[in-house]
Amino acid sequence: MTLTKICGLTTPDTLDAALDGGAAFVGAVVFPKSPRHIPPLHAATLFDRARGRAKVVAVLVDADDARLSEVALILRPDLIQLHGHETPQRAAEARRLTGARIIKALPIRDEADFASVADWADVADHLLFDAKPPKGADLPGGVGVSFDWTLMRNRALPANWFLAGGLSPENLTEAVRISGAPMVDVSSGVESAPGVKDPDLIHAFLKAVSRS
């Protein structure tokens, strides 16, 4: 069965929709430039209801040691998702500082973007393949665009990887069929406006996953 991460949750009703629908991972974006940003203390209060039901993921972008330590102490995430320009060495430091497992997001547009995959084999617990954002974009992800899913076919990859980028209830089945993704990640595809999650869209997405 395909596992799902609902990312960028900020309210109790949308978190409950993700949990009730069977999401395996729920994500808190701690990145002030994002419309989905949630401060660590707020996130800790909200995501406490997810403990034991789903893995809590803190999404960070090129975070310094102080931010990593703050998130680890206050939010206590199961996993840290590194969604910036972090190196494998920085990921190892993040693991040491936080004690959390690591998801590394890799931006994809074409074949050349897979060149760094092998560098992460001994560092990341999961890789997340996201669409490379347009040039000049302020956000490294969550911009509602996808990449060519056929790039994932017949590719030697770690067993536990996520497909992300432009997924929605309407295209999820096709995306999994083409890519063979064992896990999927959605954010903007279950929103009614940037940063505003819709419980009905979350339920629809998770129903689509269960049928894929």
Side-chain angles (χ1 to χ4, degrees):
M1 180 179 175
T2 307
L3 300 181
T4 303
K5 177 160 78 72
I6 307 294
C7 202
L9 295 161
T10 58
T11 62
D13 63 329
T14 55
L15 176 58
D16 287 343
L19 296 172
D20 294 343
F25 304 85
V26 288
V29 176
V30 185
F31 181 53
K33 287 186 177 181
S34 172
R36 304 162 189 95
H37 171 64
I38 183 170
L41 188 58
H42 182 185
T45 302
L46 175 64
F47 282 79
D48 188 60
R49 69 207 300 127
R51 307 290 178 187
R53 299 182 65 187
K55 298 298 184 184
V56 175
V57 181
V59 180
L60 302 171
V61 179
D62 298 318
D64 60 17
D65 287 1
R67 176 63 96 181
L68 285 166
S69 298
E70 176 190 29
V71 167
L73 179 66
I74 297 175
L75 179 54
R76 298 181 295 110
D78 298 292
L79 300 104
I80 297 285
Q81 179 174 315
L82 303 176
H83 214 112
H85 299 91
E86 301 89 359
T87 64
Q89 293 75 23
R90 183 58 179 160
E93 292 170 359
R95 184 193 296 276
R96 178 180 56 80
L97 282 167
T98 65
R101 290 182 288 146
I102 300 296
I103 300 171
K104 176 59 183 140
L106 298 178
I108 302 295
R109 182 175 297 133
D110 53 38
E111 184 70 30
D113 294 320
F114 291 92
S116 67
V117 167
D119 298 337
W120 294 94
D122 299 324
V123 181
D125 297 276
H126 305 284
L127 294 178
L128 184 148
F129 297 98
D130 197 2
K132 184 176 284 188
K135 291 183 178 179
D138 287 333
L139 301 177
V143 294
V145 297
S146 58
F147 63 93
D148 181 0
W149 300 320
T150 63
L151 289 169
M152 308 306 300
R153 286 178 173 169
N154 303 315
R155 187 176 296 280
L157 293 169
N160 297 317
W161 56 273
F162 289 89
L163 179 70
L167 298 180
S168 68
E170 292 74 27
N171 67 16
L172 183 280
T173 299
E174 182 183 15
V176 172
R177 179 184 63 80
I178 292 173
S179 68
M183 302 194 289
V184 294
D185 173 278
V186 66
S187 186
S188 61
V190 291
E191 292 180 345
S192 57
V196 182
K197 292 288 183 295
D198 184 318
D200 291 336
L201 287 175
I202 290 172
H203 282 301
F205 188 87
L206 290 166
K207 285 182 180 178
V209 171
S210 69
R211 296 192 298 266
S212 65

